[in-house]
Amino acid sequence: MTNKFLTLLMFLVTSAVFSQNVKFEGTIKDTTGFALEMANIMAVNQTTKAMDGYSITNDKGRFQILLNPNTAYDIKVSYVGYQAYTTTIKTGTEPIIKNIVLKEGTMLQEIEIVKEMPVSISGDTIIYNSDSFRNGTERKLEDVLKKLPGVEVNKDGEIQVEGKTVQKVMVEGKDFFDGDTKLATKNIPADALDKIQVLRNYNEVTNLKGLENNEENVALNIKLKEGKKNFWFGDMTAGIGVGHKEDRHILNPKLFYYNPKYSINAIGNFNNIGELPLTMQDYFKFTGGFKNMMRRAGTSFNVVSNDLGILGLRNNQAKEIDTKFGAANFSYNPSKAWSISGFGILMGSETDLQTNSKSTRIDRDGVTTVNDETSVTKQESRLGLFKLSSSYVPSEKVHFDYDALAKFSKQDELSTLLSNSDVTTSSGTVSVFNDVYSKKKQNPFSFNQNLNYYYTLNEKHVFAFEMQHLYQDEDPFYNANLAVQPFMLSGYDNGQTRNDVSQNRFVKTNKIDGKFDYYYMVTPKSNINFTLGNTYSYQNFNSHIFQILDNGNQNDLNADENNNDVNYAFNDVFLGLHYKFITGKFTFNPGFTFHNYQTKDEQLGSSNTMSFNRFLPDFYALWQLKKAETLTYNFTMANSFTDINKLAEGYVFSNYNSLFSGNRMLENSLSQVHSLRYFKYNMFNFENIFANLTYTKQVDGIKSRALLTGINQESTSVNMDSSFADETLSGSGNYGRSFLRYYKGSVGASLNWSKFNNLRVYPDSDTNPDNNPTEIQSTESFTQNYNVKFSTNYKKIPNIEVAYNFTINDFSSDVYYVDAPSVTLEYYFLDAFSFTSEYTFYHNRNKSKTVENEYDFLTAALMYQKKDSKWEWKLSGTNLLNTGSLNNSSFSQLGGTSSFSSYIVQPRYLILSLKYAL
């Protein structure tokens, strides 16, 4: 019903608008009759001097503009390398057809025309004129980006262009907190924007342009208005809660300065209303702009973070959150060839969370385990990030850069959990109640540095050397005080009133990646790439389990199985050969890497070594159907290795009811990935289409061998037999279109099917525990998401966005459905007032209707700012309907357990704030 309503609404609105306009169309060609693709044409109203319409020609040179009837227009046409063309037309009520011929040459008027165009294209760069898409309600970069054709911004501030994630945001060509786009989208003021440049096929190293496959690389560069250059700009916002018994406040200063020689950005945010500039997930995925230099090496060796699960929590699941945030970013050019940049970020947060969850697992013999949990958690976190970069480019032949990124944090978590587990068999139901008080704390530190040197000898020979070093030091501590201890631990005293068990862990990692590339240009359209590379990692893992007795004494569990003292070395030396060539509309880049692997672990008084060779092919192909239409195929085969965490054979607590021991005999797994991607961007009608399909198959995968008893789990890792491969098939697609300058619509879908294989252990009291019978357990999940969206963007009347999102999570044990229609309203009126509001409704349910609930969220803000005034008043409200919780469903491949969780969220807040703009 909702889908039909949205479709009808879009049809009525577009039909009404089309009926009020006159079509102006034709072609733009040169004097030889050759069609000029991507030529700019716009119509300026002679009375209002406003641009009422514009178009960019397609590959046939065709343009189309919808104009007001009975109106006189100045028509302006431009195309790079040709003389600008102007003429006048007078519309009536009938369509106008006009074919235009451009002469070669350049005139000054061309620059003026391009400057006024809402959208223009120069090579691989799409240039948006910010003011052409603003309606007066925008306050941040994010608000403007959402209105641009082909651009989307998700709720986490991540930018997508043509279905590709933007990796870097720059302002005036200078990095803005390199490695994260959220700080840019949430903080750069909308009124400072002049042009937004989308840099496709982006490669910041000019020496390598054309040599590598950069079609997936997208960056954003923000051009500032003239009044914002060489001057300090920004704003200061301060607000307090209205009508609240408890204190509610926000203080948010932002300061920016840009000139050709240096730039400074400073951002602060102190609040207790749930506004997080960075979440914990943002912090740990913050790359600092470090690229994946080994992406074509054929080896996957990732250092796992020992995060104790603290990082799995987000601010929108918080009952209460208090944040203190400060960040500064700078760049300085001592000379034209040398640039220095860096940033520092500090954040502290105190978070209260409350979660109610219900999980269900049905075993092969019909045994059903249902677990109800209620947890109350308090977190305190202190996070820090510091980066320093230097780049030296004295000429087009030489490029040298160095980066260093340091991360540190201090995290503490106290949690109270009440668990009630019902295990139902043919003989009845047994209930087990457990109350658990847990403590987690960790102070991880990492230091990552990157050194790159690129040299172009001449047009035939290019050399590249890249090296990266990672040092990581982690010390997670876990303590659980619980009524029922589910595990049999050697040396454990079971005669205590409570079970107070703790574990210390210390993990250190040194990892060095080095790679030398030589490119030889066989022809202007083909090159050969020789690669010599090495990855070396050395890790140390120590852990110890101990018990605190009722009298306060410490009982050290000194048996080997309760402790770890492990050293692990991994070394990969490889040679690679790739040949890239272009023929017609096709680009091919086949290649391979040949590896020699050596591993060694030392634990339990002995060493275990492994050495072998492996040949790994890869293939890349691109079909350039048109200038902005491509079909890309990628194939990679890779060896995947585990790090020390799954090799250490002593017990490690994953949770109070989950115990893990590693397996030093693990071998690598082999994966193959096939991906197909289609992309089309038609500037003629602002239509953008993208679709991708990916298939992954993992053979000899490192999987879990688990003994599940009720909600308790003891597991280890094993290599799954090659006949039981894990498989994943995922696909997504989106069709979007902007038209009449005032409308933007899209429809999309994403599907993901996964099949996992694990080993399930079934206890048998008549046999030795090591010989318990096992069974391969295959679980499948199929997740589907469908969405449709339509929005308007008028200057003088209210604007609306309607959207509908439908999700199906089909797990082995249950199927969950989520309907989420939403409406957003924006209105700028009386040349001073701005009103914005967003409403979203959620309907969650499972197939059997045993779980079903509805909730909704409403936010609104009213802003007042006189024209040219530096002061703005704002009254805003979050969660105006005072919704108590939000819900989420999830699936665990181990045991095929599906879970449904409810998170208590922050109550209604009304905030009155005052902003002063520099």
Side-chain angles (χ1 to χ4, degrees):
M1 185 68 182
T2 309
N3 280 329
K4 293 180 179 179
F5 170 74
L6 293 176
T7 304
L8 179 61
L9 177 62
M10 293 173 63
F11 175 77
L12 293 176
V13 171
T14 54
S15 298
V17 174
F18 271 99
S19 65
Q20 298 170 3
N21 287 271
V22 175
K23 184 185 294 186
F24 171 50
E25 61 182 334
T27 60
I28 300 176
K29 299 181 178 181
D30 64 11
T31 53
T32 66
F34 182 77
L36 300 178
E37 184 179 4
M38 302 295 182
N40 299 316
I41 179 170
M42 63 181 180
V44 178
N45 192 309
Q46 290 184 348
T47 302
T48 65
K49 304 302 179 184
M51 182 178 57
D52 284 357
Y54 66 95
S55 180
I56 297 176
T57 57
N58 63 9
D59 59 324
K60 306 295 184 183
R62 184 168 174 262
F63 68 87
Q64 178 180 294
I65 305 176
L66 292 171
L67 300 174
N68 297 324
N70 305 313
T71 306
Y73 287 99
D74 291 324
I75 304 300
K76 301 181 180 182
V77 183
S78 70
Y79 190 77
V80 177
Y82 288 79
Q83 296 183 28
Y85 173 89
T86 60
T87 188
T88 61
I89 64 170
K90 176 70 181 296
T91 61
T93 57
E94 298 298 324
I96 299 175
I97 299 176
K98 187 174 183 64
N99 297 321
I100 298 170
V101 177
L102 297 185
K103 299 179 181 179
E104 290 189 10
T106 303
M107 297 178 65
L108 293 177
Q109 293 96 314
E110 178 184 344
I111 299 174
E112 298 173 0
I113 293 171
V114 173
K115 184 177 180 180
E116 297 176 20
M117 281 290 293
V119 186
S120 58
I121 292 182
S122 177
D124 286 331
T125 303
I126 304 176
I127 306 167
Y128 296 98
N129 184 2
S130 173
D131 286 344
S132 298
F133 296 93
R134 294 184 59 196
N135 59 38
T137 62
E138 301 82 8
R139 294 298 181 269
K140 298 171 292 187
L141 170 63
E142 171 185 39
D143 302 326
V144 179
L145 292 177
K146 289 178 179 179
K147 296 177 170 63
L148 305 183
V151 180
E152 298 290 338
V153 182
N154 64 22
K155 299 220 178 257
D156 291 329
E158 191 177 73
I159 309 167
Q160 285 196 329
V161 177
E162 303 160 0
K164 306 169 188 175
T165 300
V166 172
Q167 302 164 342
K168 179 193 289 280
V169 173
M170 298 174 287
V171 179
E172 294 291 335
K174 305 178 190 300
D175 290 344
F176 192 91
F177 293 95
D178 195 16
D180 180 82
T181 60
K182 182 176 182 176
L183 288 177
T185 58
K186 300 289 186 181
N187 291 284
I188 296 177
D191 60 5
L193 309 176
D194 180 24
K195 298 289 188 297
I196 300 172
Q197 299 175 333
V198 175
L199 311 177
R200 300 181 292 180
N201 304 322
Y202 180 74
N203 192 328
E204 54 191 329
V205 181
T206 56
N207 307 66
L208 301 182
K209 284 188 175 179
L211 300 178
E212 298 187 323
N213 305 314
N214 303 309
E215 285 74 21
E216 297 299 310
N217 297 346
V218 181
L220 228 61
N221 183 44
I222 307 300
K223 302 293 288 184
L224 300 173
K225 291 183 176 178
E226 289 301 322
K228 304 297 182 181
K229 299 176 186 177
N230 300 308
F231 293 97
W232 288 98
F233 69 95
D235 54 65
M236 165 74 82
T237 300
I240 59 172
V242 178
H244 302 297
K245 295 180 181 180
E246 68 277 15
D247 164 63
R248 295 296 167 191
H249 63 269
I250 181 170
L251 181 64
N252 185 201
K254 304 171 190 175
L255 197 60
F256 311 93
Y257 183 86
Y258 283 87
N259 71 23
K261 198 171 184 65
Y262 67 91
S263 68
I264 300 174
N265 307 290
I267 302 168
N269 198 319
F270 310 88
N271 75 87
N272 62 353
I273 62 174
E275 187 174 296
L276 265 185
L278 286 180
T279 65
M280 296 282 281
Q281 286 84 356
D282 295 329
Y283 169 82
F284 277 89
K285 75 179 182 181
F286 208 118
T287 64
F290 281 58
K291 60 184 179 180
N292 181 12
M293 56 180 284
M294 293 296 189
R295 63 189 180 278
R296 285 206 310 179
T299 298
S300 174
F301 180 83
N302 297 316
V303 177
V304 177
S305 175
N306 289 265
D307 58 33
L308 292 173
I310 294 178
L311 308 184
L313 306 171
R314 293 178 178 270
N315 63 311
N316 64 354
Q317 296 172 357
K319 182 179 180 180
E320 195 76 33
I321 186 165
D322 192 318
T323 302
K324 298 175 178 63
F325 174 86
N329 169 239
F330 82 94
S331 68
Y332 174 61
N333 296 330
S335 66
K336 290 184 178 180
W338 186 23
S339 65
I340 304 172
S341 63
F343 62 76
I345 298 174
L346 293 172
M347 186 174 78
S349 64
E350 296 179 3
T351 309
D352 294 336
L353 303 108
Q354 182 174 334
T355 305
N356 303 308
S357 63
K358 182 177 183 179
S359 62
T360 304
R361 187 183 74 244
I362 302 175
D363 295 335
R364 62 168 185 172
D365 50 6
V367 176
T368 302
T369 302
V370 178
N371 184 45
D372 284 299
E373 290 184 346
T374 298
S375 66
V376 177
T377 304
K378 184 176 183 62
Q379 292 181 351
E380 291 187 13
S381 300
R382 303 292 182 266
L383 312 174
L385 274 166
F386 296 93
K387 182 187 178 185
L388 183 65
S389 299
S390 174
S391 181
Y392 181 63
V393 188
S395 68
E396 292 183 354
K397 290 188 174 183
V398 177
H399 183 120
F400 174 80
D401 58 54
Y402 172 79
D403 305 280
L405 175 69
K407 289 182 177 182
F408 65 88
S409 64
K410 183 178 186 300
Q411 302 159 52
D412 296 275
E413 177 182 293
L414 295 175
S415 180
T416 299
L417 182 143
L418 303 178
S419 172
N420 186 24
S421 178
D422 293 331
V423 180
T424 303
T425 65
S426 58
S427 58
T429 299
V430 177
S431 296
V432 179
F433 178 80
N434 200 0
D435 59 323
V436 184
Y437 305 92
S438 64
K439 178 191 299 182
K440 299 177 181 179
K441 61 180 181 179
Q442 56 191 21
N443 300 278
F445 170 78
S446 70
F447 182 69
N448 205 334
Q449 51 187 334
N450 195 79
L451 178 70
N452 302 311
Y453 180 76
Y454 308 94
Y455 177 65
T456 302
L457 178 65
N458 52 44
E459 62 181 13
K460 287 284 189 180
H461 307 280
V462 178
F463 302 89
F465 173 74
E466 299 172 319
M467 186 171 68
Q468 188 166 306
H469 170 242
L470 169 67
Y471 172 77
Q472 186 168 285
D473 190 349
E474 300 175 292
D475 61 345
F477 169 79
Y478 177 73
N479 167 261
N481 187 302
L482 61 166
V484 180
Q485 165 62 266
F487 305 112
M488 299 294 294
L489 300 173
S490 178
Y492 190 84
D493 187 343
N494 292 299
Q496 305 298 302
T497 305
R498 295 281 298 180
N499 294 279
D500 191 327
V501 61
S502 301
Q503 183 172 49
N504 286 312
R505 272 189 273 169
F506 303 93
V507 188
K508 288 187 178 181
T509 301
N510 269 288
K511 180 171 175 280
I512 297 177
D513 295 294
K515 184 164 68 81
F516 174 79
D517 283 288
Y518 166 60
Y519 298 89
Y520 174 68
M521 298 298 297
V522 181
T523 70
K525 292 188 176 183
S526 65
N527 71 78
I528 298 177
N529 171 214
F530 298 94
T531 303
L532 172 64
N534 176 236
T535 293
Y536 176 77
S537 173
Y538 185 81
Q539 295 180 289
N540 176 257
F541 186 108
N542 285 280
S543 69
H544 174 60
I545 298 176
F546 60 93
Q547 177 189 14
I548 302 298
L549 305 178
D550 289 347
N551 60 12
N553 292 335
Q554 179 170 312
N555 175 28
D556 291 302
L557 308 187
N558 292 320
D560 288 342
E561 63 265 30
N562 299 324
N563 296 274
N564 283 294
D565 185 3
V566 187
N567 296 316
Y568 176 58
F570 170 86
N571 193 61
D572 169 27
V573 179
F574 67 91
L575 291 170
L577 176 64
H578 291 83
Y579 177 50
K580 180 180 179 180
F581 62 97
I582 301 174
T583 173
K585 295 184 176 182
F586 295 92
T587 300
F588 296 100
N589 192 189
F592 66 86
T593 52
F594 182 78
H595 298 255
N596 173 255
Y597 297 106
Q598 294 183 0
T599 66
K600 180 181 180 180
D601 79 273
E602 297 176 337
Q603 59 180 310
L604 302 173
S606 63
S607 298
N608 178 48
T609 61
M610 180 173 59
S611 178
F612 67 96
N613 301 319
R614 182 61 59 86
F615 175 84
L616 300 171
D618 59 84
F619 183 76
Y620 171 90
L622 170 70
W623 182 13
Q624 190 82 42
L625 288 84
K626 295 180 182 178
K627 282 187 177 181
E629 185 178 10
T630 60
L631 182 64
T632 308
Y633 170 73
N634 236 321
F635 165 74
T636 58
M637 184 172 286
N639 264 2
S640 298
F641 291 84
T642 182
D643 72 346
I644 197 170
N645 287 275
K646 290 187 177 181
L647 300 173
E649 296 201 337
Y651 285 131
V652 174
F653 276 103
S654 303
N655 204 346
Y656 79 95
N657 61 351
S658 179
L659 197 63
F660 173 81
S661 62
N663 177 5
R664 67 188 305 185
M665 305 307 295
L666 289 176
E667 300 179 357
N668 69 286
S669 63
L670 183 65
S671 65
Q672 54 176 292
V673 181
H674 302 263
S675 66
L676 189 65
R677 176 186 176 86
Y678 173 77
F679 155 71
K680 179 181 180 180
Y681 193 25
N682 188 345
M683 295 296 291
F684 170 69
N685 56 12
F686 299 98
E687 175 186 70
N688 61 89
I689 306 171
F690 66 85
N692 62 72
L693 185 66
T694 302
Y695 172 74
T696 303
K697 184 176 182 179
Q698 188 176 47
V699 180
D700 298 323
I702 298 174
K703 307 298 294 182
S704 292
R705 180 180 184 271
L707 169 63
L708 304 178
T709 308
I711 64 170
N712 305 313
Q713 171 184 312
E714 291 184 65
S715 62
T716 186
S717 292
V718 295
N719 284 105
M720 185 64 69
D721 186 275
S722 59
S723 58
F724 295 95
D726 284 358
E727 296 178 278
T728 299
L729 179 63
S730 61
S732 64
N734 190 84
Y735 174 84
R737 184 173 175 181
S738 297
F739 47 98
L740 297 178
R741 293 185 59 200
Y742 305 113
Y743 303 94
K744 183 179 179 180
S746 66
V747 58
S750 62
L751 310 173
N752 184 289
W753 172 83
S754 298
K755 180 181 180 180
F756 305 104
N757 296 284
N758 292 279
L759 284 174
R760 176 76 182 276
V761 181
Y762 291 89
D764 186 346
S765 58
D766 297 328
T767 63
N768 185 293
D770 292 333
N771 296 321
N772 281 336
T774 61
E775 180 180 281
I776 293 177
Q777 185 177 55
S778 294
T779 56
E780 296 185 19
S781 67
F782 183 34
T783 300
Q784 307 167 61
N785 179 269
Y786 306 94
N787 62 84
V788 61
K789 184 187 300 183
F790 177 78
S791 61
T792 66
N793 190 20
Y794 290 105
K795 297 283 186 180
K796 296 183 179 181
I797 63 174
N799 289 293
I800 190 171
E801 177 187 278
V802 291
Y804 176 69
N805 191 291
F806 179 57
T807 302
I808 305 174
N809 291 316
D810 188 351
F811 305 139
S812 295
S813 53
D814 211 340
V815 183
Y816 293 91
Y817 306 92
V818 181
D819 292 287
S822 64
V823 178
T824 302
L825 179 67
E826 296 179 345
Y827 187 28
Y828 179 72
F829 57 100
L830 301 179
D831 292 328
F833 291 92
S834 296
F835 177 76
T836 61
S837 181
E838 181 177 355
Y839 172 79
T840 307
F841 173 82
Y842 296 91
H843 179 202
N844 291 290
R845 62 201 183 278
N846 65 350
K847 188 175 183 179
S848 59
K849 296 294 182 71
T850 57
V851 175
E852 184 171 15
N853 60 63
E854 298 177 349
Y855 61 96
D856 48 5
F857 285 95
L858 175 65
T859 63
L862 179 64
M863 292 153 282
Y864 173 75
Q865 183 178 20
K866 287 184 178 180
K867 190 175 182 180
D868 300 325
S869 172
K870 293 182 177 294
W871 297 93
E872 178 187 83
W873 289 92
K874 180 180 179 180
L875 179 64
S876 60
T878 60
N879 193 9
L880 289 172
L881 302 176
N882 213 24
T883 298
S885 63
L886 60 83
N887 302 307
N888 182 46
S889 60
S890 61
F891 173 74
S892 171
Q893 59 169 293
L894 190 59
T897 303
S898 60
S899 302
F900 189 83
S901 301
S902 175
Y903 304 92
I904 306 302
V905 296
Q906 296 178 93
R908 178 193 300 119
Y909 295 148
L910 293 176
I911 304 296
L912 179 64
S913 59
L914 177 63
K915 182 174 75 174
Y916 176 77
L918 294 178

